[in-house]
Amino acid sequence: MPWWGILLVFFGTFLVFALLHAVAKNKRPFSRALLSIAIGLGTLFAVNLSTGLTGVSIPVSLLSVLTAAVGGVPGVTLILALNLFF
């Protein structure tokens, strides 16, 4: 996937989150959307940071980063569950 396609996916994700927060009548939908994406990416980072203690790691690829950004904590949990079974 070209770099502009990756940026387009991230921007689209940001707009969808901002729209959802605007519909939910949040005061600052854009900052809440950035926070939602940051929490997902932070969770992915925290799982990979604790690999030495837990023995669990998620390979960082475009798919895992997009899943973490779009899905947040449930997305990272899904990656961990799929990593456990496959």
Side-chain angles (χ1 to χ4, degrees), residues 4-60:
W4 57 267
I6 297 168
L7 289 176
L8 188 64
V9 169
F10 274 116
F11 185 68
T13 301
F14 172 74
L15 287 180
V16 167
F17 280 147
L19 180 67
L20 288 174
H21 287 295
V23 168
K25 305 277 191 225
N26 287 327
K27 290 183 181 180
R28 294 180 286 191
F30 291 113
S31 62
R32 296 281 296 189
L34 277 176
L35 182 66
S36 296
I37 293 171
I39 287 174
L41 294 176
T43 305
L44 180 67
F45 178 71
V47 167
N48 283 330
L49 190 63
S50 66
T51 298
L53 297 172
T54 62
V56 177
S57 69
I58 299 174
V60 177

